[in-house]
Each structure stands twice: as C-alpha cells, then as structure tokens.
C-alpha cells in the first residue's frame, strides 16, 4: 500500500522545477511523474528515476496521481488546463491574474464538483499568502487599512515589457517599495498613497548595436500601464553584466495593516517575505496546499477552493495533536 | 428575526472590556450581555444599554447567546469555566498556558461534542496568531527554522512576580527582543540561541519606604524561572513616574522563519505585531474567531477547535465571493 501522497507536475518551467525540488523536503509525498508538452525524452528531471510523460498521457493516469500541480502560466495555459484537468484530478494552481479570479474560480468549480474533485486555485504568495494576510488582518482589525508593497524583486511581467521595446537586446526590471511610504503606513496614519508614492521601478537594459540610449530610455519610462505611473530609472549595462548580476529571481514584499481597537489603542500587523527565488517559493506554497487538497478531498470537500477555505493545520505534515502540543 | 450574531462576555476585566469595545466595530454582531462574578449592579459597561447579569444566570440564557467569549484567566478561571460552559454554549477563549493546552483541549472537547457545541480554545496572539504563523511557515519551508521573539512589551506575569519581591511597592517589567539575535535569524543562518541571547528584561520598580535598593535589585535579577536566565536591569522610579509612564499595556513580537527550497535559494518569512494594547488586540482576535465559531457550528462542526482548524475566510465579515474578488 502506498501511503505517500502521489504528486504530479503538469508543465516543466521554473515553477515545475521548483515543485520537483520541494517534494523531497516533504517526507509524506512522492513525485509520481512530470507531464510536459515537450517531447518527454528531451526533459531531464533532477532525479533521473522520475518518470516523464507527454501531457496527453494525463487522462489515462488518473489512478497514479493524488494531486496534480498545474505549473503553467496564467495567461495562456491555466484558463484552458485548469477547468479541463479539474474534471480528472485534484489540482493546485497559481492562477495570478487577480481581476479574472472570480471567472476562473467558476470555470474550475463546475467540472471539479461534477467529478468529485478538489481544485485549489490561486495559491502562491500573491495571490496566496499575501491574500491570506489581507483577509485575516482586516478581520482582526476592521477599523483599519491594509497596504501591500512588493519588492525588492524582479518582476517577470515588467521585464518582458521592457524587452519588447525597440533597441533593447535584453534586460530586467526590479520593483522597489518606497521606504518612506512604508514608514508612513507603519506609523498608523493610514495615508492615501498614489501609485508613484508606493513603488519605484529600476531597469537594467542591454542595448542592441546602434540603438539610441536616450530614445530607448524615453520609450521605457513613458510606457503606459507598466512604467508611466512610476518613477522609473534605466541603467544601461553590458550583456555580460546582465548575465552575471541579474539572474536570481529574487522577490518578496510586505502586507502591512494598521488599525485601532479604540481611540487610544493603535496596532500594526506586518507580514514580510524575502524570497531568494520567486518560483521556488511559489512552488513550495503549491506543494503545502497539495497536502491540504489531498485531505480536503478525503473529507469530501469537492469543487474549487482558495487559500481562504483551507484550515491552516491541513498544510502541515504534523497531526492536529502534534500541532497543538508543539506549535500552539 | 435577529440576524446579528449575539455575542456575550463572561468575565469583565481588561479582556472583557476589550471584547466590549470590539463588538461595535463588527456590524454583523451585537453584544447580548455581560456576565460577571461581581454584583451586576456594580458594573458600568461602555454602553449603558448592555444588560449585565450574574455569572449564575448563564445556564438559563442559552437561547439569548450565539457565542460566549470567556474572558477569565488561564490559571484559575478557564480550567473550570471552559469545560463547564462548553456544554452550554459555543465558546471562544484565550487559554494561554502553553504546556497544558492538550489537557485543556480534551477537557473542553468532550462536553462540547456531547452537547453539539463548538468551542475554540487558545485564541489571541500567542497562542493564536503566532501559532498560526509557526505552523504555516514550517509547512511552506520544511527545511527551515522558526524563532519567536516577544516585545517590546509589558509582561503581566513578570510584573506580578517582581511585585511580590519584599521591599517592592509597585512596578512593571518589559520584555525586549535582542536586535542582534533577530538580525542573525533574519540572515538565514539558523543560529542556536540561548534564552539569554534572545530577550532582555527591564524592570521599573517603586521601592517601599526604607527598602534597600541593592537588596531588592539582587532579589529580582536572581529570581529563578522569571529573571535569573536573562540579562535583567532594574530602574528605581517614583510612584508618580510609574503611574504616568507605565500604564499602557503595549506588547507585540515577531515570528521569523528562515528556510531553503534548494541549496542556492534561501527565504525569510516574518510576521510582526506591534500592539498598543495587549488585551484589546487579544479581544479583537477572540471576536473574529467568535464569527468563525458561529459559522462552524452552523456547519455541524462540534467539539474543541483551535486556530489550526479554522478556514481563514470564516474570520471575515465578507462573503467568499467578496473575498475572492477583493482580497485574493
């Protein structure tokens, strides 16, 4: 009898590799397989013993997998894969297009419920742990205000945007929270902060041969949505410097809530993440929620779920008795 | 039809007053009554319209109360009241004798289950929110280490202890985390820290007439369990200074977890509370968990529960749909 939770990975990019690295740190789990759209023989997993399959093998592998972790992107992959695979497996994903979460939740909920599966959507750190802290803090101190700051960190979306600017050969973008704004929030004054007052954006760009630096700079800092609403600085560096100094996918941020329980008594709740690798940390969150999904499913709790629906003790390898004795 | 959650308070000290102050900040609740061991007519509630009863009226008031918040102490009151009242009401308490939690859980669980009631024990911030963060952080980064620091804050237990020293007319004790230790923890080095390396204790003492300051100081700093294992400093102040400068029940602390997802990638998760009033914040946590207890009870989840068992969304006044749309 196999008592370990059998986890499988659908999609083998940075996030999928992070899940693969996280499994051995959880002794109640084993990696049952990696499913990829690439030719399976081209993929070299960390552990050579891990079976690799084409994504199209999934429908036949229902009896091999307890929880399937969907490691595709929110733009192209998950809107299609999430609803389809939630009909076949218990799933966990990191769908992170905040504005479309209600629609995605509904699209996953129906097939999961119909097929008695449990599908946890939008796990990770934001959405995910940060969402949890926004909700809990607001519930504990309803007379208060919550602020989310991101960074210092490498933003994938903004890095992609600046690489599309004509004349740019390569580059990355860092989001940095403005310390003065954070201090004002921590003071409990509940400031109203404009976009520009919360974060700055710092770009490190490699120019294409013959490109005009000032034109490239202007095209970046005036780009609507991505950079125009921020104080954006652009540094030009060499391709060697880019490769040497800017490969770590560091990220993190802060959820700060200040509130009052009475006129005389003010409080500040702060949750901070400092992440050496954004995809690896996100993957570790997905893996902990996979444990919870396995348990929710065993309890007959079917359908789409979010971090708001999961009793925190279910994330832990420890038993309820152990948690109460050791951590309460 | 009364659609508001009817909360009642058992025990009217600092914590009970904190609950009373918190209820109006939660528009889905109303305060149904305050129950006290004092003669009810001696008690003046914040809102004169709130009914006040003797504690012995409770057994007849089962149909007036949805959730009873137990605001007594963990040493004398709760071990007796918790199991007895969990047979009659849905309850929330802040039982905080960490070592005796398993025993207390069992003592409350049996009568609650027998009578189809829901009893949430050991809510507050430690045990409570800090416990939640220890468990979640450990689950997200199992290859890691968790550290709890308390302070800067006024410790009730240690203040009581120093006031029992012969020659002491009054005084308070502050627990202070050692910043160097916190920085070492934040660096991810997972240090082994002795008790003395994590916190200092600072006492402000008013001497009785004729008492010998040096003798009092020595009696305090050598007191086993309370002070001997720490670097303790004692300041002698006047009764006026004590009253003027040391009445705020400030407290707080930090749960810091550092861990690795791979050899190359280290992460730090930090949760920090800065509390203007320890009892008022604790009370606000109890009130949020009272909402969850009301909902758990409606779902038929009877027996003793802890913060580990409560889906975080149940703490919020917002609907699951709202939470997903606004906070995820």
């Amino acid at each position: 009898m196999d008592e370990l939770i059998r986890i499988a990975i659908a999609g083998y990019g940075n996030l999928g590799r992070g899940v693969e690295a996280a499994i051995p740190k959880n002794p109640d789990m084993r990696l049952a397989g990696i499913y990829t759209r690439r030719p399976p023989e081209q993929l070299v997993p960390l552990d050579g013993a891990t079976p690799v399959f084409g994504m199209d093998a999934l429908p036949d592998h229902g009896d091999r997998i307890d929880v399937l972790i969907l490691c595709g992107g929110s733009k192209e992959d998950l809107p299609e894969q999430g609803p389809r695979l939630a009909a076949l497996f218990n799933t966990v994903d990191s769908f992170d297009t905040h504005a479309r979460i209600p629609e995605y939740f509904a699209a996953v909920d129906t097939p999961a419920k119909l097929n008695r599966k449990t599908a946890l959507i939008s796990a990770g750190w934001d959405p995910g742990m940060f969402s949890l802290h926004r909700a809990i803090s607001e519930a504990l101190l309803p007379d208060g205000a919550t602020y989310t700051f991101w960074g210092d960190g490498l933003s994938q979306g903004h890095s992609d945007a600046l690489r599309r600017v004509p004349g740019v050969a390569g580059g990355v973008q860092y989001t940095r929270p403005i310390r003065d704004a954070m201090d004002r929030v921590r003071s409990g004054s509940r400031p109203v902060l404009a976009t520009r007052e919360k974060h700055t954006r710092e770009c490190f760009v490699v120019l294409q041969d013959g490109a005009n630096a000032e034109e490239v700079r202007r095209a970046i800092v005036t780009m609507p949505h991505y950079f125009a609403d921020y104080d954006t600085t652009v540094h030009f560096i060499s391709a060697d410097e880019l490769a040497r100094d800017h490969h770590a996918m560091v990220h993190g941020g802060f959820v700060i809530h200040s509130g009052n329980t009475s006129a005389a008594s003010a409080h500040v709740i702060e949750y901070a993440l400092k992440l050496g690798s954004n995809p690896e940390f996100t993957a570790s969150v997905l893996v902990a929620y996979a444990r919870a999904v396995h348990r929710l499913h065993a309890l007959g709790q079917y359908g789409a779920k979010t971090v708001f629906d999961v009793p925190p003790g279910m994330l832990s390898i420890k038993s309820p008795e152990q948690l109460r004795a050791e951590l309460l």
Side-chain angles (χ1 to χ4, degrees), chain A:
Chain A
M1 203 183 90
D2 190 351
E3 294 192 358
L4 299 179
I5 307 173
R6 300 167 303 171
I7 306 289
I9 294 168
Y12 195 69
N14 287 327
L15 189 58
R17 276 190 294 273
V19 170
E20 189 185 15
I23 300 293
K25 299 199 183 278
N26 291 276
D28 58 340
M29 301 180 172
R30 71 175 179 85
L31 183 55
I34 298 170
Y35 296 78
T36 176
R37 277 179 303 206
R38 286 176 272 172
E41 63 279 7
Q42 288 183 10
L43 193 154
V44 182
L46 294 177
D47 177 349
T50 302
V52 181
F53 305 98
M55 204 73 98
D56 51 5
L58 271 173
D60 299 325
H61 286 193
D63 57 352
R64 299 183 181 206
I65 297 167
D66 293 313
V67 184
L68 180 66
I69 302 185
L70 310 185
C71 298
S74 296
K75 218 168 176 176
E76 307 287 335
D77 305 323
L78 294 176
E80 182 273 320
Q81 291 175 358
R84 181 166 54 82
L85 294 172
L88 303 172
F89 298 95
N90 298 319
T91 60
V92 177
D93 71 48
S94 63
F95 184 81
D96 67 357
T97 311
H98 291 261
R100 306 192 65 179
I101 285 175
E103 172 191 347
Y104 183 69
F105 182 92
V108 169
D109 190 45
T110 307
K113 275 193 180 133
L114 263 170
N115 296 281
R116 304 166 68 87
K117 301 295 180 193
T118 307
L120 190 114
I121 69 158
S122 301
W125 61 276
D126 196 355
M129 300 316 296
F130 274 18
S131 323
L132 211 54
H133 281 86
R134 288 188 283 261
I136 294 176
S137 300
E138 190 181 276
L140 299 187
L141 296 174
D143 175 8
T146 309
Y147 299 80
T148 304
F149 292 92
W150 296 274
D152 292 354
L154 193 152
S155 162
Q156 212 56 66
H158 286 76
S159 297
D160 288 345
L162 74 82
R163 287 191 287 254
R164 286 193 297 266
V165 171
V168 171
V172 294
Q173 190 264 190
Y174 295 94
T175 303
R176 311 212 186 274
I178 296 176
R179 302 289 151 173
D180 177 61
M182 289 177 56
D183 289 342
R184 287 170 65 196
V185 166
R186 287 179 181 134
S187 78
S189 67
R190 306 190 202 175
V192 176
L193 296 169
T195 299
R196 190 179 299 275
E197 292 177 290
K198 289 183 71 188
H199 299 94
T200 57
R201 299 198 177 276
E202 191 170 5
C203 307
F204 292 84
V205 170
V206 180
L207 286 173
Q208 287 173 351
D209 280 349
N212 179 310
E214 180 50 27
E215 276 173 27
V216 166
R217 195 197 64 78
R218 202 175 321 122
I220 293 171
V221 303
T222 59
M223 193 189 298
H225 308 304
Y226 285 92
F227 296 105
D229 297 337
Y230 300 85
D231 289 334
T232 301
T233 51
V234 180
H235 309 279
F236 294 103
I237 59 174
S238 69
D240 286 350
E241 286 169 319
L242 180 69
R244 186 188 67 209
D245 302 334
H246 300 283
H247 62 281
M249 284 174 287
V250 297
H251 219 310
F254 305 81
V255 176
I256 308 176
H257 182 93
S258 74
N260 280 67
T261 49
S262 62
S265 299
H267 314 271
V268 181
I269 306 173
E270 180 165 336
Y271 181 72
L273 293 176
K274 199 166 175 226
L275 308 179
S277 161
N278 184 354
E280 285 188 21
F281 184 78
T282 301
S284 285
V285 178
L286 298 186
V287 167
Y289 276 95
R291 177 182 292 120
V293 160
H294 184 61
R295 293 172 174 175
L296 287 170
H297 184 255
L299 294 172
Q301 295 198 28
Y302 308 133
K305 307 285 174 195
T306 74
V307 293
F308 301 132
D309 305 311
V310 177
M314 283 200 186
L315 301 172
S316 175
I317 192 171
K318 294 185 174 168
S319 70
E321 293 74 17
Q322 264 185 301
L323 285 174
R324 289 194 293 268
E326 297 172 16
L327 296 181
L328 195 61

Coordinates of all heavy atoms in Angstrom, one line a residue, chain A residues 186-241:
Chain A
R186 N 3.4 52.2 8.6 CA 3.7 51.6 9.9 C 3.4 52.5 11.0 O 3.1 52.1 12.1 CB 5.2 51.2 10.0 CG 5.5 50.0 9.1 CD 7.0 49.7 9.3 NE 7.4 48.5 8.5 CZ 8.5 48.5 7.7 NH1 9.3 49.6 7.6 NH2 8.7 47.4 7.0
S187 N 3.4 53.8 10.7 CA 3.0 54.8 11.8 C 1.6 54.8 12.2 O 1.2 55.3 13.2 CB 3.4 56.2 11.3 OG 2.4 56.7 10.5
G188 N 0.8 54.1 11.4 CA -0.7 54.0 11.7 C -1.5 55.2 11.2 O -2.7 55.3 11.5
S189 N -0.9 56.0 10.3 CA -1.6 57.2 9.9 C -2.6 57.0 8.7 O -3.3 57.8 8.3 CB -0.6 58.3 9.5 OG 0.1 57.9 8.3
R190 N -2.6 55.7 8.2 CA -3.4 55.3 7.1 C -3.4 56.3 6.0 O -4.4 56.9 5.6 CB -4.9 55.2 7.6 CG -5.0 54.2 8.8 CD -6.5 53.9 9.1 NE -6.6 53.4 10.5 CZ -7.8 53.2 11.1 NH1 -8.9 53.3 10.4 NH2 -7.8 52.8 12.3
P191 N -2.2 56.5 5.4 CA -2.1 57.5 4.3 C -2.8 57.1 3.0 O -2.9 55.9 2.8 CB -0.6 57.6 4.1 CG -0.1 56.3 4.5 CD -0.9 55.9 5.7
V192 N -3.2 58.0 2.2 CA -3.7 57.7 0.9 C -2.5 57.8 0.0 O -1.9 58.9 -0.1 CB -4.8 58.7 0.4 CG1 -5.2 58.4 -1.0 CG2 -6.0 58.5 1.3
L193 N -2.1 56.8 -0.7 CA -0.8 56.7 -1.4 C -1.1 56.5 -2.9 O -1.8 55.6 -3.3 CB 0.1 55.6 -0.9 CG 0.6 55.7 0.5 CD1 1.2 54.4 1.0 CD2 1.5 56.9 0.7
A194 N -0.6 57.4 -3.7 CA -0.7 57.3 -5.2 C 0.3 56.2 -5.6 O 1.2 55.8 -4.9 CB -0.3 58.6 -5.9
T195 N 0.0 55.6 -6.8 CA 0.9 54.5 -7.3 C 2.3 54.9 -7.3 O 3.2 54.2 -6.8 CB 0.5 54.3 -8.8 OG1 -0.9 53.9 -8.8 CG2 1.3 53.2 -9.4
R196 N 2.6 56.2 -7.7 CA 4.0 56.6 -7.7 C 4.7 56.7 -6.4 O 5.9 56.7 -6.2 CB 4.0 58.0 -8.4 CG 5.4 58.6 -8.8 CD 5.2 60.0 -9.4 NE 4.4 59.9 -10.7 CZ 5.0 59.6 -11.9 NH1 6.3 59.3 -12.0 NH2 4.2 59.6 -13.0
E197 N 3.8 56.9 -5.3 CA 4.4 57.0 -4.0 C 4.7 55.7 -3.3 O 5.3 55.7 -2.2 CB 3.4 57.8 -3.1 CG 3.2 59.2 -3.5 CD 2.1 59.9 -2.6 OE1 0.9 59.5 -2.8 OE2 2.5 60.7 -1.8
K198 N 4.2 54.6 -3.9 CA 4.5 53.3 -3.2 C 5.7 52.5 -3.7 O 6.3 51.8 -3.0 CB 3.2 52.4 -3.4 CG 2.0 52.9 -2.5 CD 0.8 52.0 -2.7 CE 1.0 50.7 -2.0 NZ -0.1 49.7 -2.2
H199 N 5.9 52.6 -5.0 CA 7.0 51.8 -5.6 C 7.7 52.6 -6.7 O 7.2 53.4 -7.3 CB 6.4 50.5 -6.3 CG 5.7 49.6 -5.4 ND1 4.3 49.7 -5.2 CD2 6.1 48.6 -4.6 CE1 3.9 48.7 -4.4 NE2 5.0 48.1 -4.0
T200 N 9.0 52.2 -6.8 CA 9.8 52.7 -8.0 C 10.1 51.5 -8.8 O 10.1 50.4 -8.4 CB 11.1 53.4 -7.5 OG1 11.9 52.5 -6.8 CG2 10.8 54.6 -6.7
R201 N 10.5 51.8 -10.1 CA 10.9 50.7 -11.0 C 12.3 51.0 -11.5 O 12.6 52.1 -11.9 CB 9.9 50.6 -12.1 CG 8.5 50.3 -11.6 CD 7.5 49.7 -12.6 NE 6.2 49.4 -12.1 CZ 6.0 48.2 -11.5 NH1 6.9 47.3 -11.4 NH2 4.8 47.9 -11.0
E202 N 13.1 50.0 -11.4 CA 14.5 50.2 -11.8 C 14.8 49.1 -12.9 O 14.7 48.0 -12.7 CB 15.4 50.0 -10.6 CG 16.8 50.4 -10.9 CD 17.7 50.5 -9.6 OE1 17.1 50.1 -8.5 OE2 18.8 50.9 -9.6
C203 N 15.3 49.6 -14.1 CA 15.5 48.7 -15.2 C 17.0 48.7 -15.5 O 17.7 49.7 -15.5 CB 14.8 49.3 -16.5 SG 13.0 49.6 -16.2
F204 N 17.5 47.4 -15.8 CA 18.8 47.2 -16.3 C 18.7 46.7 -17.7 O 18.2 45.6 -17.9 CB 19.6 46.2 -15.3 CG 19.8 46.8 -14.0 CD1 18.8 46.8 -13.0 CD2 21.0 47.5 -13.7 CE1 19.1 47.4 -11.8 CE2 21.3 48.0 -12.5 CZ 20.3 48.0 -11.5
V205 N 19.3 47.5 -18.6 CA 19.0 47.2 -20.1 C 20.3 47.0 -20.8 O 21.2 47.8 -20.7 CB 18.1 48.4 -20.6 CG1 18.0 48.3 -22.2 CG2 16.8 48.4 -20.0
V206 N 20.3 46.0 -21.7 CA 21.4 45.9 -22.7 C 20.8 46.4 -24.0 O 19.8 45.9 -24.5 CB 21.8 44.4 -22.8 CG1 22.9 44.2 -23.8 CG2 22.2 43.8 -21.5
L207 N 21.6 47.3 -24.6 CA 21.1 47.9 -25.9 C 21.5 47.1 -27.1 O 22.6 46.4 -27.0 CB 21.8 49.3 -26.1 CG 21.2 50.5 -25.2 CD1 22.1 51.7 -25.4 CD2 19.8 50.7 -25.6
Q208 N 20.7 47.1 -28.1 CA 21.1 46.5 -29.4 C 22.2 47.4 -30.0 O 22.2 48.6 -29.8 CB 19.9 46.3 -30.3 CG 18.9 45.3 -29.9 CD 17.7 45.3 -30.7 OE1 17.4 46.2 -31.5 NE2 16.8 44.2 -30.5
D209 N 23.0 46.8 -30.9 CA 24.0 47.6 -31.5 C 23.4 48.7 -32.3 O 22.4 48.5 -33.0 CB 24.8 46.7 -32.6 CG 25.8 45.8 -31.9 OD1 26.1 46.1 -30.7 OD2 26.3 44.9 -32.5
G210 N 23.9 49.9 -32.1 CA 23.4 51.1 -32.8 C 22.2 51.7 -32.2 O 21.7 52.7 -32.7
A211 N 21.6 51.1 -31.2 CA 20.4 51.8 -30.6 C 20.7 53.0 -29.9 O 21.8 53.2 -29.3 CB 19.7 50.8 -29.7
N212 N 19.8 54.0 -29.9 CA 20.0 55.3 -29.2 C 19.5 55.1 -27.8 O 18.3 54.9 -27.5 CB 19.2 56.3 -30.0 CG 19.4 57.7 -29.3 OD1 19.2 57.9 -28.1 ND2 19.7 58.7 -30.1
A213 N 20.4 55.3 -26.8 CA 20.1 55.1 -25.4 C 19.0 56.0 -24.9 O 18.1 55.5 -24.2 CB 21.4 55.3 -24.6
E214 N 19.0 57.2 -25.3 CA 18.1 58.2 -24.8 C 16.7 57.9 -25.3 O 15.7 58.0 -24.6 CB 18.5 59.6 -25.1 CG 17.5 60.7 -24.6 CD 17.1 60.6 -23.2 OE1 17.9 60.0 -22.3 OE2 16.0 61.0 -22.8
E215 N 16.6 57.4 -26.6 CA 15.3 57.1 -27.2 C 14.7 55.8 -26.5 O 13.5 55.7 -26.2 CB 15.4 56.8 -28.7 CG 15.4 58.0 -29.5 CD 15.7 57.7 -31.0 OE1 15.4 56.5 -31.4 OE2 16.2 58.6 -31.7
V216 N 15.6 54.9 -26.2 CA 15.2 53.6 -25.5 C 14.7 54.0 -24.1 O 13.6 53.5 -23.7 CB 16.3 52.6 -25.4 CG1 16.0 51.5 -24.5 CG2 16.6 52.0 -26.8
R217 N 15.4 54.8 -23.4 CA 15.1 55.2 -22.1 C 13.7 55.9 -22.1 O 12.8 55.5 -21.3 CB 16.1 56.2 -21.5 CG 16.0 56.4 -20.0 CD 16.7 57.6 -19.5 NE 16.1 58.8 -20.0 CZ 15.0 59.4 -19.6 NH1 14.4 58.9 -18.6 NH2 14.5 60.5 -20.1
R218 N 13.5 56.8 -23.0 CA 12.2 57.5 -23.1 C 11.1 56.6 -23.4 O 10.0 56.6 -22.8 CB 12.3 58.7 -24.1 CG 11.2 59.7 -23.8 CD 11.3 61.0 -24.7 NE 12.7 61.3 -25.0 CZ 13.3 61.4 -26.2 NH1 12.5 61.1 -27.3 NH2 14.5 61.7 -26.3
A219 N 11.3 55.6 -24.3 CA 10.2 54.7 -24.7 C 9.8 53.8 -23.4 O 8.7 53.5 -23.2 CB 10.7 53.8 -25.8
I220 N 10.8 53.5 -22.6 CA 10.5 52.7 -21.4 C 9.7 53.5 -20.4 O 8.7 53.1 -20.0 CB 11.8 52.1 -20.8 CG1 12.5 51.1 -21.7 CG2 11.5 51.5 -19.4 CD1 13.9 50.6 -21.3
V221 N 10.3 54.6 -20.0 CA 9.7 55.3 -18.9 C 8.3 55.9 -19.2 O 7.6 56.2 -18.3 CB 10.6 56.5 -18.3 CG1 12.0 55.9 -17.9 CG2 10.8 57.6 -19.3
T222 N 8.0 56.1 -20.5 CA 6.7 56.6 -20.8 C 5.7 55.5 -21.2 O 4.5 55.8 -21.6 CB 6.8 57.6 -22.0 OG1 7.3 56.8 -23.1 CG2 7.7 58.8 -21.7
M223 N 6.1 54.2 -21.1 CA 5.2 53.1 -21.5 C 4.0 53.1 -20.5 O 4.1 53.0 -19.3 CB 5.9 51.8 -21.4 CG 5.2 50.6 -22.1 SD 6.0 49.0 -21.7 CE 7.6 49.3 -22.5
P224 N 2.8 53.2 -21.1 CA 1.6 53.3 -20.3 C 1.4 51.9 -19.5 O 1.9 50.9 -19.9 CB 0.4 53.5 -21.2 CG 1.0 53.5 -22.6 CD 2.4 53.3 -22.6
H225 N 0.7 52.0 -18.4 CA 0.4 50.8 -17.5 C 1.7 50.3 -16.8 O 1.7 50.2 -15.6 CB -0.2 49.7 -18.3 CG -1.5 50.1 -19.0 ND1 -2.5 50.7 -18.4 CD2 -1.8 50.0 -20.3 CE1 -3.5 51.0 -19.3 NE2 -3.0 50.6 -20.5
Y226 N 2.7 50.0 -17.6 CA 3.9 49.4 -17.0 C 4.8 50.4 -16.3 O 5.3 50.1 -15.2 CB 4.7 48.7 -18.1 CG 4.0 47.4 -18.5 CD1 3.2 47.3 -19.6 CD2 4.3 46.2 -17.8 CE1 2.5 46.2 -19.9 CE2 3.6 45.0 -18.2 CZ 2.8 45.0 -19.2 OH 2.2 43.8 -19.6
F227 N 5.1 51.6 -16.9 CA 6.1 52.4 -16.3 C 5.7 53.9 -16.1 O 6.3 54.6 -15.3 CB 7.4 52.3 -17.1 CG 8.1 51.0 -17.2 CD1 7.9 50.2 -18.3 CD2 8.7 50.5 -16.1 CE1 8.5 48.9 -18.3 CE2 9.3 49.2 -16.1 CZ 9.2 48.4 -17.2
A228 N 4.8 54.3 -16.9 CA 4.5 55.8 -16.9 C 4.0 56.3 -15.6 O 4.3 57.4 -15.2 CB 3.4 56.1 -18.0
D229 N 3.3 55.4 -14.8 CA 2.8 55.9 -13.5 C 3.8 55.8 -12.4 O 3.5 56.0 -11.2 CB 1.6 55.1 -13.1 CG 0.4 55.2 -14.1 OD1 0.4 56.3 -14.8 OD2 -0.4 54.3 -14.2
Y230 N 5.0 55.5 -12.7 CA 6.1 55.3 -11.6 C 7.3 56.1 -11.9 O 7.5 56.6 -13.1 CB 6.5 53.8 -11.6 CG 5.4 52.8 -11.3 CD1 4.6 52.4 -12.4 CD2 5.2 52.4 -10.0 CE1 3.6 51.5 -12.1 CE2 4.2 51.5 -9.8 CZ 3.4 51.0 -10.8 OH 2.4 50.1 -10.5
D231 N 8.1 56.4 -10.9 CA 9.4 56.9 -11.1 C 10.3 55.8 -11.5 O 10.6 54.9 -10.8 CB 9.9 57.6 -9.9 CG 9.2 58.9 -9.6 OD1 8.7 59.5 -10.5 OD2 9.1 59.3 -8.4
T232 N 10.7 55.8 -12.8 CA 11.4 54.7 -13.4 C 12.8 55.1 -13.8 O 13.0 56.2 -14.4 CB 10.7 54.2 -14.7 OG1 9.4 53.8 -14.3 CG2 11.4 53.0 -15.3
T233 N 13.8 54.4 -13.4 CA 15.2 54.7 -13.8 C 15.7 53.5 -14.7 O 15.3 52.4 -14.5 CB 16.1 54.8 -12.6 OG1 15.9 53.6 -11.7 CG2 15.8 56.0 -11.7
V234 N 16.5 53.9 -15.6 CA 17.0 52.9 -16.6 C 18.6 53.0 -16.5 O 19.1 54.1 -16.7 CB 16.5 53.2 -18.0 CG1 17.1 52.2 -19.0 CG2 15.0 53.3 -18.1
H235 N 19.2 51.8 -16.3 CA 20.6 51.7 -16.4 C 21.0 50.9 -17.6 O 20.4 49.8 -17.8 CB 21.2 51.0 -15.1 CG 20.7 51.6 -13.8 ND1 21.2 52.7 -13.3 CD2 19.7 51.2 -13.0 CE1 20.5 53.0 -12.1 NE2 19.6 52.1 -12.0
F236 N 22.0 51.3 -18.3 CA 22.5 50.5 -19.4 C 23.7 49.7 -19.0 O 24.6 50.3 -18.4 CB 22.8 51.4 -20.6 CG 21.5 52.1 -21.1 CD1 21.2 53.4 -20.8 CD2 20.6 51.4 -21.9 CE1 20.0 54.0 -21.3 CE2 19.4 52.0 -22.3 CZ 19.1 53.3 -22.0
I237 N 23.6 48.5 -19.3 CA 24.7 47.6 -18.9 C 25.1 46.7 -20.0 O 24.4 46.6 -21.1 CB 24.3 46.7 -17.6 CG1 23.1 45.8 -18.0 CG2 24.1 47.6 -16.4 CD1 22.7 44.9 -16.9
S238 N 26.2 45.9 -19.9 CA 26.6 45.0 -20.9 C 25.9 43.7 -20.8 O 25.3 43.4 -19.7 CB 28.1 44.8 -20.8 OG 28.4 44.0 -19.7
A239 N 25.9 42.9 -21.9 CA 25.3 41.6 -21.8 C 26.0 40.7 -20.8 O 25.3 39.9 -20.1 CB 25.4 40.9 -23.2
D240 N 27.3 40.9 -20.6 CA 28.0 40.1 -19.5 C 27.5 40.5 -18.1 O 27.3 39.6 -17.3 CB 29.5 40.4 -19.6 CG 30.1 39.7 -20.8 OD1 29.4 38.8 -21.4 OD2 31.3 40.0 -21.1
E241 N 27.3 41.8 -17.9 CA 26.8 42.2 -16.6 C 25.4 41.7 -16.3 O 25.1 41.2 -15.2 CB 26.8 43.7 -16.5 CG 28.2 44.3 -16.4 CD 28.2 45.8 -16.6 OE1 27.6 46.3 -17.5 OE2 28.9 46.5 -15.8

